Amino acid sequence: MKPYPLLFQPEMKERVWGGRALEQFGLTLPEGHIGEGWMIGDHPNGTTKVVNGELAGLGLDQIREQYGQDFFGIKGFSEKNGRFPLLIKLLDCQDDLSVQVHPNDHYDRLPQGELGKTEMWYILDAKPGAKIIYGLNDGVTREQLAEAIAGNRILDCLQEITVEAGDSFYIPAGTVHALGAGVLVAEIQQNSDSTYRLYDYNRLGLDGKPRELHIEDSLNVIAYEGSGASHMKTELVSTNEWLTLAHSPFFVTEKGKVEQAWPLQTSNDSFVIHIICDGSGTIRWADGELTVKPGECYLLPANLGDYTLTGSMTVLRSYLP
């Protein structure tokens, strides 16, 4: 089996805050408010299947079982559950998301086999004035936050940031956060679906009932002394060079601008994921070439070796540290 860049059929998730913006990438959406496209995933709540090449029709879990370390690399498995370690999403936020926080791998109330959730956001598009919630105000303690929640004053404890396309946010486990209405986001995260809601604007869910909050778990896992969260503008001053957006224990994500042929290679340590943000171009390797477009997310096997990006496009590259 010769390796090649894998493209997957996304798993679409309806969310009360979602919309239809993912259609702009040529994706077919089911009816409803589609908030999340799980683009590359190997999780009990969503496993994507290959749509191109010889492996078309196989799920990422089946590829893991059949090709293992050759495709995923020496580091390419979760030590906790053996699955593919990352989950790649596109998010369409037509309304505000709940104020939430994620646990780390060591939280003792995680479901069996579930990971914690450190993640990062890259803002693909943002309406003028769009905002996110990103961390607590300085000095807020557990006791103060609990009192604010009880008094319906939680928003007084939270930092709000105005965002624009190209902004990048690193969100380690323990960071209180929420995407706001009017943003389109690429999300790279640990392979986890664990979210604890602190506040949801007294909103009803898709079933017409108030959505569950997880106050005790949230208060338990928040990093009150700081989680190591960081954010940056990502304007690129040159082409065919990588700008590091996030370097976590779980993934490295970089941004690059392709303007001329850019020779690259995978290593035996890790697969590489490329998210096409804008523009168009190709991925060439020893045995073929693929034309790529915005919104597509490719998994390049660790044993692919040399490959070349061509065209005029902005790409994100993620791999295991």
Side-chain angles (χ1 to χ4, degrees), residues 80-96:
K80 186 172 182 179
N81 61 24
R83 288 180 176 269
F84 190 74
L86 302 182
L87 176 56
I88 309 302
K89 299 179 182 177
L90 298 181
L91 307 181
D92 169 22
C93 310
Q94 295 298 311
D95 198 358
D96 296 331

Side-chain angles (χ1 to χ4, degrees), residues 138-254:
D138 290 343
V140 173
T141 65
R142 176 180 176 135
E143 293 72 22
Q144 290 169 335
L145 186 59
E147 289 177 6
I149 292 168
N152 201 29
R153 295 180 288 100
I154 185 174
L155 296 179
D156 294 341
C157 297
L158 307 176
Q159 294 192 58
E160 196 174 61
I161 297 176
T162 301
V163 301
E164 60 184 6
D167 289 350
S168 176
F169 295 86
Y170 176 49
I171 307 163
T175 310
V176 177
H177 61 282
L179 286 165
V183 295
L184 188 64
V185 174
E187 180 174 276
I188 296 96
Q189 58 159 91
Q190 285 182 270
N191 182 16
S192 171
D193 202 21
S194 291
T195 294
Y196 299 141
R197 296 192 198 104
L198 282 155
Y199 180 67
D200 198 32
Y201 305 94
N202 303 311
R203 176 169 44 190
L204 300 181
L206 294 167
D207 59 1
K209 300 176 181 178
R211 297 209 296 169
E212 183 182 4
L213 300 180
H214 315 92
I215 303 302
E216 187 64 23
D217 282 319
S218 296
L219 291 172
N220 287 344
V221 304
I222 290 170
Y224 296 96
E225 301 301 320
S227 64
S230 60
H231 63 97
M232 61 188 292
K233 301 289 183 182
T234 67
E235 185 176 351
L236 299 174
V237 296
S238 57
T239 60
N240 291 30
E241 291 184 4
W242 294 113
L243 172 67
T244 300
L245 308 185
H247 195 300
S248 83
F250 310 103
F251 55 82
V252 178
T253 297
E254 302 161 332

Side-chain angles (χ1 to χ4, degrees), residues 39-54:
M39 310 303 289
I40 301 176
D42 173 16
H43 189 277
N45 295 342
T47 299
T48 54
K49 293 184 177 181
V50 178
V51 296
N52 67 324
E54 188 175 338

Side-chain angles (χ1 to χ4, degrees), residues 26-38:
L27 297 171
T28 300
L29 305 188
E31 293 184 3
H33 302 279
I34 305 304
E36 300 187 8
W38 289 23

Side-chain angles (χ1 to χ4, degrees), residues 265-298:
Q265 61 183 190
T266 61
S267 79
N268 292 330
D269 282 344
S270 172
F271 57 84
V272 171
I273 289 169
H274 279 302
I275 300 173
I276 314 303
C277 300
D278 60 54
S280 62
T282 69
I283 302 175
R284 296 176 182 165
W285 67 104
D287 300 301
E289 177 176 316
L290 279 172
T291 299
V292 302
K293 59 185 176 57
E296 291 182 335
C297 303
Y298 288 89

